[in-house]
Amino acid sequence: MTARRVRSLLLSALVAALAGCSIGDVRRTAPAPEPTVSDSASPPPAPRPVAETRTTRLAVPERYDPPYVEFVDAEGGYALFAACDGRPPGPDCPALLWSTRDGGRSWQQLRHPKPVADNQQLYATVDVLALHAEPHGWWSSTDGGETFRHSPGEDAPASWQETQGRFQIIEGSGEVGRWNGRRLRPVPAQPPLSATHAVAVGDELISNSDGTTFDVPLIAAGLSKDGRPAVVQSWDEGRSWHAGELLPDAGEVSVLRVVLRPDGQWLIGERPDRTGFPALWRGNAGGGWFRVYAEGHPESGRVTPLGGSTAAVISPRGAGAVIGGRYQDLPWPVTAEHTLRVLADGTLFAAAPQGVLLGTGQHAERNWVAINLDGD
């Protein structure tokens, strides 16, 4: 599949995908020592084999390239075959669409509404399947691909846009907008930031491990006027903004991401070179943030918070995790080629050119299943 992510569809504001994990008490701790780089001479543990491999042979001609596969939870997923011998789909290579409802054990072919197009793209959540067939527009489905509705033009259909959260970054202007059911409208007052990178809001109360709850405001993250990573909050849906305490210093950051979990809030600060190990912070019940250290971390890595004060790391060493302020390698069957995402039900979805993996369980304890699709 060719490069497929349209910027307006970035999921930084996707609160619907919050995973259900438990977390320890969120408190400010005394500063820990600065992280150090893992000893490259110490090899990571050998990956454990997957617990199960689910291989399905589909009625797809051999000339088709491997499919783009997307899962929405542990059971539901889609596969789009959209190229033949590296060429875009055409009359002799129409796009083929399949779905699974049993975790990849079996697959059913769906009717693709526009199988011939210059470029085919697939996006999916639990509630919506969206297909972009350039230059003909979008087709969206809310019944798992049984029926589709056509939306001409380049703008994503309203059904898909709504899944991205009540508040989103408006494409082009970079402003914070609220989805009104038809389009994004700028909120009354914009965050006092020089650049806003992400916006997020929790639809429910966040619970601490002791059973107490606290409200989650609208959060905007980005760079302050002096270029430092900063977070501001709004308790009235963007009519006014309040700057919290300064983030504990963690070095230079170029892009700041917000990740909300039902048990806590995370900030991930990407380095200017986009390869260095990112800065990490977690929120506390008082609305402040504390630094998350990762002693022994690799020089680079992509971080995905899992809950329970645990964040997964994918690096050239393979898989690892930040747990209790320290980095440790994990024997997951996940490599540096995989991208990692938390699905709506907490399942981990790891995608790579060689195939996809599903990881069920909690925090760093996961059982992995490999999903393989073969053609005729």
Side-chain angles (χ1 to χ4, degrees), residues 53-320:
T53 299
R54 299 169 185 168
T55 300
T56 306
R57 183 172 293 277
L58 304 179
V60 176
E62 185 178 354
R63 66 179 181 275
Y64 279 83
D65 293 351
Y68 175 80
V69 179
E70 185 77 83
F71 272 77
V72 297
D73 55 28
E75 300 297 320
Y78 300 93
L80 176 65
F81 293 82
C84 294
D85 300 322
R87 293 179 288 104
D92 62 340
C93 178
L96 304 177
L97 181 64
W98 297 75
S99 72
T100 180
R101 298 181 181 178
D102 57 9
R105 296 175 180 86
S106 64
W107 293 79
Q108 301 76 43
Q109 187 167 9
L110 303 174
R111 182 189 66 85
H112 195 295
K114 192 67 175 179
V116 178
D118 294 340
N119 184 29
Q120 300 278 3
Q121 302 170 16
L122 179 152
Y123 307 88
T125 69
V126 171
D127 298 317
V128 178
L129 168 65
L131 303 174
H132 191 202
E134 297 177 0
H136 307 291
W138 293 82
W139 279 261
S140 57
S141 173
T142 57
D143 56 11
E146 296 295 327
T147 60
F148 286 90
R149 180 177 180 178
H150 182 217
S151 302
E154 286 299 308
D155 292 338
S159 60
W160 173 264
Q161 197 75 43
E162 188 172 1
T163 68
Q164 308 307 293
R166 289 185 295 140
F167 296 90
Q168 304 170 36
I169 302 296
I170 300 175
E171 172 73 11
S173 70
E175 294 179 305
V176 174
R178 178 170 182 170
W179 178 250
N180 66 6
R182 294 181 302 161
R183 63 184 63 185
L184 283 170
R185 294 289 191 185
V187 296
Q190 289 300 308
L193 300 169
S194 63
T196 303
H197 300 149
V199 61
V201 62
D203 288 331
E204 299 177 356
L205 294 177
I206 284 183
S207 297
N208 280 330
S209 59
D210 60 3
T212 61
T213 60
F214 56 97
D215 291 318
V216 178
L218 174 62
I219 299 173
L223 300 181
S224 65
K225 302 299 182 179
D226 60 1
R228 293 186 57 183
V231 176
V232 295
Q233 301 175 342
S234 175
W235 297 91
D236 53 13
E237 299 188 330
R239 295 176 179 84
S240 61
W241 294 88
H242 307 277
E245 59 188 271
L246 293 176
L247 295 178
D249 184 62
E252 190 174 2
V253 167
S254 62
V255 174
L256 193 61
R257 294 192 288 124
V258 179
V259 179
L260 300 186
R261 299 281 180 249
D263 52 12
Q265 310 168 39
W266 290 74
L267 295 175
I268 301 175
E270 304 292 351
R271 303 301 184 185
D273 61 3
R274 289 305 188 107
T275 61
F277 195 85
L280 301 174
W281 298 268
R282 283 177 59 202
N284 60 31
W289 299 88
F290 62 89
R291 175 86 180 273
V292 176
Y293 291 88
E295 185 177 353
H297 67 73
E299 293 184 0
S300 62
R302 303 184 303 276
V303 174
T304 303
L306 302 181
S309 72
T310 300
V313 178
I314 305 300
S315 76
R317 291 176 60 87

